[in-house]
Amino acid sequence: MRKTLTTLTLAMALASGHALADQATLAAIQATGVQLTEAQAQALAVAQGDALAQAVAAVVAANPEAAASIVAAAIAAAPAQAASIVSAAVTAAPAQAAAIVTAAISVAPAQSVAITNAAVAAAPAQAAAINAAASTAGAAPAGATAGSTATVSNNPASSSGGGGGGNSETKPVTPPSDGGGPIASPN
């Protein structure tokens, strides 16, 4: 029955002239074992761009217990849509936000900051759990930029106006883990 449904969905997509780019997403989600309705399968097969994220979110909403595996499969098939898929999925199942973020980052670690920020924007009440999950999965905290650099100079300040001849090098900057920094107290 499932093969017939998939074949019919594929035939309909070919006949309607839609791009088949998201057949991979449909196949990946079906491979998780999640039972899709005919409407969900058809929506996934023909969806593109933001419509793909919304189609994935509909499947997540119907199967919140499998949200992490659904999102991981969708991002593996459509990595360019990772942030929008996470945003839509977290909106559809906010209680699963941490699991969704962990799964998404495991599939697309290079997009960890975008994934984390999209999840926090979709479910601000879950921000602490999302950031903890992202941190565990290897992401930078929300709002942090990966790969920041600063120039460090070994030139002492000179009052004579001369100067020159010092060392200058670029070193990576590590954001503080507590979110704060050396900020003077207003007291």
Side-chain angles (χ1 to χ4, degrees):
M1 177 76 176
R2 190 184 308 185
K3 287 181 183 179
T4 302
L5 176 62
T6 302
T7 304
L8 287 174
T9 302
L10 177 60
M12 289 173 58
L14 285 171
S16 67
H18 287 107
L20 295 178
D22 295 311
Q23 273 301 123
T25 306
L26 171 61
I29 291 175
Q30 286 176 327
T32 66
V34 172
Q35 295 297 316
L36 300 174
T37 66
E38 185 175 337
Q40 289 169 332
Q42 185 176 15
L44 285 168
V46 299
Q48 297 178 18
D50 288 338
L52 175 62
Q54 294 308 314
V56 171
V59 176
V60 167
N63 303 282
E65 72 286 348
S69 61
I70 293 166
V71 169
I75 292 173
Q81 298 292 324
S84 62
I85 289 170
V86 167
S87 178
V90 168
T91 299
Q96 299 296 324
I100 289 169
V101 168
T102 300
I105 291 172
S106 72
V107 174
Q111 297 184 50
S112 61
V113 172
I115 288 168
T116 304
N117 289 339
V120 169
Q126 299 289 329
I130 291 167
N131 284 322
S135 177
T136 301
T145 55
S148 296
T149 61
T151 300
V152 178
S153 175
N154 292 332
N155 283 347
S158 171
S159 61
S160 67
N167 262 342
S168 180
E169 60 184 279
T170 301
K171 295 183 178 182
V173 175
T174 305
S177 61
D178 64 356
I183 300 174
S185 171
N187 293 337

